[in-house]
Amino acid sequence: MNWKMKEVVLTVILAVACGVLYLGWSTLWIPISALVGPVGAGFMFGIWIIASPIVAYIIRKPGAALIAEVAAAAVEMLTGSHFGLSALLIGVFQGLGAEIAFAIFGYKRYNVFTLMLSGALAAVGSIAYNLVANGLGYYTTQMFFLTLGIHVISGIVLGGLLAKVIVEALARTGVLNPYEIMKSRRKQGKPHAVATRM
């Protein structure tokens, strides 16, 4: 399925915005991790994957979730993330996890459940990256399930659900009228946007 130029431009804009957000979130993670430990700071995880559900929910095309997350991770890395190259590599794993959620439903189901599933599977991708990069002994059994559980919850809430809230807010302004999200709603007779000025 071909992408239109306006979809590419919007994806780039959102990826850059999310990448800058990721950088700020990474900086905030340092003191919070020092206070509550890396596991406790895991509740922050969901913000780092929000590019995937936001862009996929708007564009609704195969590859949107993966492309958005990798691009946002690249922006985070290039703007000086202390995670360095790993920020980009983990973005690939998280993007793949998020993409799977939409692929499961043939890229035809874009509801709150799918967005939440996208956040959850991105969390699984994140943990998978840690295992690949650091080896199977990186976690004890208890720490593995605890970390996975915290990341999944955060991915669902700060990734999937928050993405839904953000996109719906954008939709009400009318700026998303040219994109697939609003075209689908108009076909269903449920346009959730304000009219734009001529």
Side-chain angles (χ1 to χ4, degrees), residues 99-179:
E99 185 75 29
I100 289 171
F102 302 101
I104 288 172
F105 299 105
Y107 298 99
K108 294 179 180 178
R109 183 173 174 178
Y110 292 88
N111 56 18
V112 68
F113 174 80
T114 312
L115 295 175
M116 290 166 62
L117 181 61
S118 177
L121 293 182
V124 174
S126 176
I127 298 298
Y129 168 80
N130 285 336
L131 292 175
V132 170
N134 302 297
L136 296 177
Y138 184 69
Y139 298 107
T140 64
T141 301
Q142 181 180 3
M143 193 62 67
F144 171 80
F145 286 108
L146 179 60
T147 303
L148 178 62
I150 291 173
H151 280 207
V152 166
I153 292 170
S154 183
I156 289 171
V157 177
L158 295 181
L161 288 178
L162 184 56
K164 168 81 170 171
V165 171
I166 291 171
V167 173
E168 293 301 334
L170 288 173
R172 285 193 291 272
T173 70
V175 299
L176 300 182
N177 283 349
Y179 299 96

Side-chain angles (χ1 to χ4, degrees), residues 44-66:
M44 298 176 65
F45 166 79
I47 291 295
W48 281 304
I49 57 93
I50 201 168
S52 289
I54 285 179
V55 173
Y57 190 32
I58 296 171
I59 303 298
R60 305 192 173 196
K61 287 186 175 178
L66 174 59

Side-chain angles (χ1 to χ4, degrees), residues 10-11 13 27 30 35 72 94 115 117 148 158 174 185-187 193:
L10 181 65
T11 298
I13 291 171
T27 303
I30 296 173
L35 287 173
Q94 290 170 174
L115 295 175
L117 181 61
L148 178 62
L158 295 181
R185 291 182 180 184
R186 286 193 288 271
K187 289 177 183 178

Side-chain angles (χ1 to χ4, degrees), residues 19-78:
V20 173
L21 172 64
Y22 290 2
L23 177 64
W25 205 243
S26 296
T27 303
L28 183 61
W29 180 86
I30 296 173
I32 292 180
S33 177
L35 287 173
V36 300
V39 176
F43 281 109
M44 298 176 65
F45 166 79
I47 291 295
W48 281 304
I49 57 93
I50 201 168
S52 289
I54 285 179
V55 173
Y57 190 32
I58 296 171
I59 303 298
R60 305 192 173 196
K61 287 186 175 178
L66 174 59
I67 291 168
E69 186 61 28
V70 173
V75 170
E76 179 190 358
M77 179 188 70
L78 293 173

